[in-house]
Amino acid sequence: MEDLLPYLELFSLPHVDLKGLVGATPEFYELPMCDRDPLPFWSDERVTLLGDAAHPMYPVGSNGAGQAVLDAAGLVGHLRQHRDPVTALRAYQDDRPATAEIVRMNRAGGPERVIDEVERRAPDGFDRIDDVVKINELKSIVKGYAKVSRFALEQVNR
């Protein structure tokens, strides 16, 4: 509890007594977030992985859910395209290599890296974000991540 209380001071929600709410909680646990290194393959014969089973990563920017949806769409496309399921699963696996890079990028902060960058540059706060970092630089971070993760608008629309 004593480790948590300083962090509660950083938040303010109207009509919510955060200290009282947390203080009334009889037990709470701290669980470390972790991920796993990218797998060398996902498919073996007629079995494949998708979503978190294929590429567990930090829960940053809804990546797990987003990648699971993209995995499912890719899998369906390959199952429709290939008559042989083993060939379809291999093609699906080969078509989704970007997820290994997404796992690695998440370790560096993922799309929320923009928040970390602002914090690094202005640990004591700021009045205007333009005094800390230019908006084009932040957009570049987000767009680069979106492209790798296939969340970029033109990729999603395809």
Side-chain angles (χ1 to χ4, degrees):
M1 179 66 78
E2 61 276 0
D3 292 339
L4 179 61
L5 288 177
Y7 292 102
L8 289 178
E9 301 293 332
L10 300 173
F11 294 93
S12 173
L13 298 172
H15 314 294
V16 177
D17 175 12
L18 290 174
K19 273 187 165 177
L21 185 65
V22 172
T25 304
E27 293 181 283
F28 60 92
Y29 303 94
E30 178 182 359
L31 299 173
M33 288 194 296
C34 59
D35 68 354
R36 285 197 316 237
D37 288 334
L39 297 171
F41 63 91
W42 303 348
S43 300
D44 186 19
E45 295 297 320
R46 298 172 63 99
V47 176
T48 196
L49 304 173
L50 66 110
D52 286 348
H55 38 79
M57 59 185 83
Y58 294 122
V60 175
S62 300
N63 271 320
Q67 290 305 314
V69 168
L70 292 172
D71 286 350
L75 180 57
V76 167
H78 288 292
L79 287 169
R80 284 183 177 156
Q81 183 179 358
H82 300 282
R83 188 174 178 106
D84 175 41
V86 174
T87 302
L89 297 183
R90 191 173 306 113
Y92 151 73
Q93 170 186 283
D94 294 344
D95 188 40
R96 300 287 291 136
T99 57
E101 184 61 21
I102 296 166
V103 170
R104 291 184 196 96
M105 289 178 83
N106 270 334
R107 290 175 179 169
E112 281 83 8
R113 199 174 98 225
V114 294
I115 297 167
D116 296 335
E117 185 59 25
V118 171
E119 173 68 19
R120 186 184 69 75
R121 293 182 187 190
D124 298 322
F126 56 90
D127 292 322
R128 294 183 59 239
I129 188 116
D130 275 351
D131 295 338
V132 178
V133 62
K134 299 299 178 209
I135 194 71
N136 288 341
E137 188 178 350
L138 296 178
K139 284 182 179 181
S140 175
I141 292 170
V142 173
K143 282 183 179 181
Y145 187 84
K147 184 176 181 182
V148 170
S149 64
R150 296 187 180 178
F151 292 158
L153 186 59
E154 64 275 3
Q155 292 166 311
V156 171
N157 284 338
R158 267 188 272 139

